[in-house]
Amino acid sequence: MWERRFVGELSSSFSCLAAFLLLLPALDHSGLVTAQTPKSSWQTLTGNAPVVVAKGGFSGIFPDSSDLAYQLTYLVGSSDTISWCDVRLTKDGVGICLPELTINNGTSIDVVYPQGKKNYPVNGVPTSGWFSVDYSVNDLSQVLLMQGVLSRTNRFDASSLILTVEDVQKQVKVPALWLNIQHDMFYTQHNLSMRSYLLSLSKRVILNYVSSAEVVFLSSIARTFKGTKTKFIFRFLDEAAIEPSTNQTYGSLSKNLTFIKTFASGILAPKQYIWPVTSDLYLQPHTSFVLDAHKEGLEVFASGFVNDAPISYNYSYDPLAEYLSFIDNGIFSVDGLLTDFPKTASEAIGCFSHIKANYSEHGKPLVISHNGASGIYPDCTDLAYQQAVKDGVDVIDCPVQMTQDGTLICMSSINLIDVTTVTISPFSSRSSVIPEIQGGPGIFTFNLTWEEISKNLKPTISSPEVKYQLYRNPRYKNGGNFMKLSDFLDFAKDKALSGVLISIENAAFLVEKLGYSVTDGVVKALKDSGYNNQTVQEVMIQSSNSSVLVKFRQQTKYKLLYMVDESISDAAPSSIADIKQFAHSVAVSKQSIFPETQKFVVGQTELVKTLKSAGLNVYVYLLRNEFVSQPWDFLSDPTVEINQYVQGVGVDGIITDFPGTATVYKRNACSKLGDKAPTYMLPVQVGGLLGLMAPEALPPALAPMPVLEVSDVVEPPLPPASQKPSTGGGNAGPPASQPSGGPPRSVVASVISLAMLCGSLLLI
């Protein structure tokens, strides 16, 4: 059970944080295949695995350099993680751990000492703020730590006090300590000696690593500590920045590593020194920086790793992929990673490096694409499906829509405005309102023929987190070609897939209003493509309408997947009994399994257990890689989220925009370790972060979610169709009641009604 740590308590909160990772039952890792090569394959300087350095502890969640941040590092990460402390000196010469020279960013000092703002020159630059040199360590005893990154949660602010370097060692008992020293000249100007402090500290604390961005200071202190086991690391800042003691840019110093080797055993550099990124966030070829440093006998540590900021689009918002590019690229490996999210770095090193790509075995969890690899390319395009197959997906999906000439196509929305360039096409005037589909106006697939769509429109990539300025693969925002259902089936037939999934929505509207039977069209397309005469790939039909699945149950032997399109807390026995009459599996939302409020998980429902005990497979939707799509509990790491659903609750499959991330998860080298799985691959305790908040910081309570009742499931049967849809090029014309080339009669009526309503409002 969680115990909240109150302000003023400096005693360890280790016991309450320990619950964050514990999930005691033995973990089932069956069905996952991979193997890890020997550690000698590491291309580091020593041949050993890279180390993980936690910047200010787990500062991606808790305030940087807080006791909570340092403790969480070891509770959810690797036990040999190195703890980083940015050392600041107080007026009385005590070293404290704070991320910035101006300590008002990250603490409450401006509240405790509102008149304390000063202006000092720092390396010749006037700098305003609150500085540690103006306060004794006792003066700072009432100052609380705050989250200094505005995009991160502030609900753990004012829960921790400032720590001295010795506090970190004694309270957290870190296995290794990295002290970063910057602005030695500034402290000298204030009659403080960082050199004297380190000499004194070394008599009480083991200093494993000392880094500095100042040549003169580091070379001087390295000579003083000569013969000790302390590693001295020269830190590179941005290439254009000026190193104060030599007046050279860091970029020019990086070209003289022979000189750096005279006083340092290693270097720490921003990750762009190694993998440069263009201004529009695409990777450029790697540099020779690591190889050059290794030739000089220098270890290389890369900095700047965070899970909760935009990274190169080449990584598809997956921080694990970024880490792997630095440690497992077949050419070089950095010797260490400096990160705000040490758990992800530990995963990369311990479980995901040097694994073999094996797409031939489709074990659990089943990975089902959502509109293909729609996190990388526009929905349901040939590029999205090709990428999903390349990523090793188990099942590719086609959400079926109907065109005006009766062609079945794969498109994620029936409204072309959502997923195409129709609003800037010659057909932009075909907008209409159809209340049965949506409240606002749209231009629908059945308003245009297949030829009009395929020859005049371009797809547009989905960016569901655009309100956070997070976009997907802009260079391909209109890339790829639309696909007919028949083309999709032909494409999938010879691929290493366990199956295809066809999703059907709005079937009742199409048959009642337009006379089209999309279900009959899908059955015919599958038969014509030969799927009734093969056993290699399974056919799955998905719908949120029971009437659709009932009809398929009556006519086919396909696997049927019922999608619950609302968040529920449970399912009544009567509703489950009804679902079992027409479906083999159920897809439920993430919220239905791990309910959350304002991005904090509040608990876990029994829904998965209930459905599985009834003999139904359970799939979870919709998983995305963008960090804002995950609750804070999953540490801005899509791998942690996947692991939580697979190991934590035992879902049978996941539906995702990024199938590549899920298939890599299935191949991780720790998958068969069972009870011996490392800490960083254990599920976190759901709702655990709430237990560390002060009562006044808790988010609003979540309103009760409904229980799925039988009345929510049962639907009247689909009526017979008056049209037989085409599944290919489409020679079946529009319904007889519809003028050729124009929208359906019901659409025209809706437009007229809207015009009359607008006219009456104008008259008023």
Side-chain angles (χ1 to χ4, degrees):
M1 189 168 181
W2 290 84
E3 304 168 9
R4 196 181 73 77
R5 179 190 180 282
F6 291 92
V7 173
E9 293 181 0
L10 281 175
S11 59
S12 172
S13 52
F14 188 93
S15 59
C16 67
L17 276 170
F20 188 71
L21 65 91
L22 293 179
L23 193 99
L24 296 179
L27 303 179
D28 177 15
H29 295 273
S30 60
L32 309 185
V33 293
T34 191
Q36 188 171 20
T37 56
K39 288 187 177 181
S40 59
S41 61
W42 288 111
Q43 294 172 297
T44 56
L45 180 65
T46 63
N48 295 326
V51 299
V52 177
V53 186
K55 184 181 176 297
F58 211 121
S59 53
I61 298 296
F62 296 119
D64 192 302
S65 304
S66 64
D67 57 345
L68 294 177
Y70 285 120
Q71 289 160 3
L72 183 64
T73 297
Y74 301 102
L75 293 169
V76 301
S78 176
S79 60
D80 58 0
T81 301
I82 301 164
S83 281
W84 165 288
C85 166
D86 285 291
V87 181
R88 313 295 168 190
L89 290 181
T90 63
K91 182 168 60 176
D92 47 350
V94 177
I96 58 176
C97 298
L98 287 176
E100 303 288 343
L101 181 66
T102 50
I103 64 175
N104 47 294
N105 183 30
T107 76
S108 65
I109 194 165
D110 55 337
V111 176
V112 179
Y113 298 105
Q115 306 302 317
K117 188 175 183 179
K118 297 288 182 65
N119 189 297
Y120 292 126
V122 179
N123 294 334
V125 179
T127 306
S128 296
W130 281 254
F131 296 84
S132 61
V133 295
D134 294 319
Y135 305 92
S136 69
V137 69
N138 186 61
D139 293 335
L140 298 175
S141 62
Q142 299 304 311
V143 176
L144 303 173
L145 294 176
M146 317 287 281
Q147 179 56 258
V149 180
L150 294 179
S151 61
R152 293 173 179 170
T153 180
N154 62 358
R155 294 188 181 276
F156 303 105
D157 287 359
S159 293
S160 297
L161 301 175
I162 294 174
L163 299 177
T164 67
V165 176
E166 291 174 272
D167 288 335
V168 175
Q169 183 65 54
K170 292 176 182 177
Q171 293 185 27
V172 187
K173 296 180 174 59
V174 297
L177 189 60
W178 183 312
L179 301 186
N180 181 57
I181 311 298
Q182 201 162 329
H183 307 298
D184 172 65
M185 293 181 179
F186 172 78
Y187 293 109
T188 300
Q189 293 167 3
H190 290 268
N191 299 316
L192 294 168
S193 172
M194 188 64 78
R195 180 177 179 277
S196 297
Y197 168 73
L198 289 178
L199 285 171
S200 173
L201 180 68
S202 65
K203 298 174 183 178
R204 305 182 301 277
V205 175
I206 296 174
L207 306 183
N208 304 93
Y209 295 82
V210 173
S211 62
S212 177
E214 298 175 28
V215 169
V216 170
F217 170 77
L218 191 66
S219 58
S220 171
I221 198 71
R223 286 194 300 269
T224 303
F225 279 77
K226 188 174 182 180
T228 69
K229 293 184 178 180
T230 302
K231 291 187 176 183
F232 291 92
I233 311 298
F234 181 68
R235 186 180 189 185
F236 287 91
L237 303 182
D238 290 340
E239 293 184 67
I242 303 294
E243 194 284 315
S245 61
T246 64
N247 205 33
Q248 295 185 52
T249 65
Y250 286 97
S252 65
L253 285 171
S254 71
K255 295 175 175 59
N256 192 1
L257 297 179
T258 302
F259 167 65
I260 303 298
K261 177 60 178 173
T262 62
F263 59 87
S265 62
I267 53 179
L268 171 67
K271 56 189 180 182
Q272 59 265 27
Y273 276 67
I274 301 165
W275 281 103
V277 177
T278 63
S279 59
D280 60 345
L281 290 184
Y282 286 90
L283 280 182
Q284 294 179 299
H286 66 79
T287 68
S288 62
F289 187 72
V290 175
L291 295 174
D292 292 343
H294 283 173
K295 287 179 182 177
E296 295 292 342
L298 289 164
E299 290 186 296
V300 181
F301 303 86
S303 65
F305 292 96
V306 296
N307 289 9
D308 57 351
I311 55 179
S312 170
Y313 292 112
N314 300 74
Y315 301 127
S316 302
Y317 288 99
D318 184 357
L320 183 72
E322 182 181 35
Y323 288 114
L324 290 172
S325 73
F326 283 81
I327 63 173
D328 186 23
N329 55 48
I331 301 170
F332 62 83
S333 171
V334 298
D335 301 275
L337 303 160
L338 176 61
T339 173
D340 292 11
F341 293 84
K343 177 180 172 71
T344 308
S346 295
E347 294 166 357
I349 296 167
C351 297
F352 289 86
S353 294
H354 309 136
I355 58 176
K356 298 177 181 178
N358 184 348
Y359 299 138
S360 61
E361 184 174 334
H362 298 284
K364 289 185 179 182
L366 196 69
V367 178
I368 303 173
S369 73
H370 179 249
N371 309 321
S374 56
I376 301 176
Y377 294 110
D379 297 3
C380 305
T381 57
D382 56 348
L383 292 180
Y385 290 126
Q386 290 165 14
Q387 184 66 47
V389 171
K390 180 181 178 181
D391 288 338
V393 73
D394 297 314
V395 177
I396 56 173
D397 69 307
C398 170
V400 170
Q401 312 296 345
M402 188 82 71
T403 66
Q404 189 185 72
D405 55 345
T407 302
L408 292 178
I409 62 174
C410 300
M411 193 160 287
S412 60
S413 175
I414 196 172
N415 183 3
L416 293 169
I417 293 175
D418 295 337
V419 290
T420 75
T421 58
V422 69
T423 57
I424 56 173
S425 76
F427 312 111
S428 59
S429 61
R430 297 195 188 182
S431 177
S432 58
V433 176
I434 303 179
E436 297 95 327
I437 295 178
Q438 64 182 46
I443 303 174
F444 302 98
T445 57
F446 48 77
N447 293 147
L448 277 71
T449 65
W450 166 245
E451 183 175 5
E452 289 172 331
I453 291 172
S454 60
K455 292 187 176 181
N456 296 277
L457 307 185
K458 292 182 179 179
T460 58
I461 199 167
S462 61
S463 290
E465 308 299 349
V466 66
K467 67 179 179 180
Y468 298 104
Q469 300 296 302
L470 298 178
Y471 300 90
R472 293 176 173 177
N473 201 3
R475 290 186 181 177
Y476 288 86
K477 64 181 180 180
N478 300 118
N481 300 302
F482 302 113
M483 294 188 74
K484 296 180 291 185
L485 174 60
S486 57
D487 295 334
F488 168 85
L489 294 173
D490 288 342
F491 166 79
K493 195 179 302 180
D494 62 348
K495 303 301 185 296
L497 299 165
S498 63
V500 295
L501 181 147
I502 298 174
S503 176
I504 300 173
E505 301 295 338
N506 302 301
F509 169 83
L510 292 171
V511 71
E512 291 171 359
K513 302 297 183 181
L514 305 183
Y516 289 159
S517 174
V518 66
T519 54
D520 291 347
V522 168
V523 170
K524 183 176 186 301
L526 286 164
K527 180 180 179 182
D528 292 346
S529 296
Y531 275 80
N532 291 354
N533 302 318
Q534 58 88 42
T535 58
V536 176
Q537 294 181 354
E538 194 170 63
V539 175
M540 303 173 69
I541 305 295
Q542 173 187 289
S543 183
S544 62
N545 299 118
S546 61
S547 56
V548 170
L549 300 182
V550 167
K551 185 170 182 179
F552 273 96
R553 186 67 177 252
Q554 294 169 347
Q555 297 181 352
T556 71
K557 295 183 179 180
Y558 305 142
K559 295 294 183 181
L560 306 177
L561 172 58
Y562 181 58
M563 173 169 280
V564 181
D565 58 1
E566 63 175 332
S567 295
I568 59 175
S569 62
D570 205 348
S574 57
S575 67
I576 296 176
D578 192 71
I579 291 171
K580 291 186 66 177
Q581 298 300 311
F582 60 81
H584 307 92
S585 307
V586 180
V588 297
S589 68
K590 297 193 301 182
Q591 180 77 356
S592 297
I593 300 173
F594 294 119
E596 60 181 77
T597 175
Q598 294 191 358
K599 295 299 180 181
F600 286 96
V601 174
V602 299
Q604 176 182 326
T605 69
E606 295 293 313
L607 182 62
V608 173
K609 181 179 179 181
T610 300
L611 293 172
K612 287 174 69 73
S613 64
L616 292 164
N617 287 331
V618 181
Y619 305 126
V620 60
Y621 73 91
L622 174 64
L623 274 67
R624 294 176 172 138
N625 282 5
E626 290 93 346
F627 54 90
V628 294
S629 72
Q630 301 140 18
W632 295 108
D633 302 67
F634 299 155
L635 310 176
S636 301
D637 184 343
T639 298
V640 172
E641 182 174 48
I642 293 171
N643 195 53
Q644 196 72 21
Y645 286 103
V646 175
Q647 301 292 357
V649 293
V651 297
D652 299 285
I654 57 178
I655 301 173
T656 173
D657 286 357
F658 296 87
T661 298
T663 57
V664 168
Y665 167 80
K666 289 175 63 172
R667 302 195 309 273
N668 81 81
C670 300
S671 60
K672 295 183 179 180
L673 297 180
D675 293 341
K676 297 181 180 178
T679 299
Y680 45 81
M681 286 304 292
L682 295 177
V684 298
Q685 183 190 357
V686 294
L689 289 180
L690 292 178
L692 292 174
M693 293 181 195
E696 62 272 14
L698 290 169
L702 180 68
M705 295 187 300
V707 173
L708 187 70
E709 302 289 351
V710 68
S711 58
D712 301 316
V713 177
V714 174
E715 294 178 342
L718 293 173
S722 59
Q723 293 280 323
K724 294 293 183 182
S726 165
T727 60
N731 295 318
S737 58
Q738 175 190 329
S740 179
R745 185 168 60 183
S746 60
V747 176
V748 175
S750 297
V751 174
I752 294 174
S753 299
L754 180 63
M756 293 176 63
L757 175 61
C758 294
S760 64
L761 290 174
L762 289 173
L763 289 173
I764 293 174

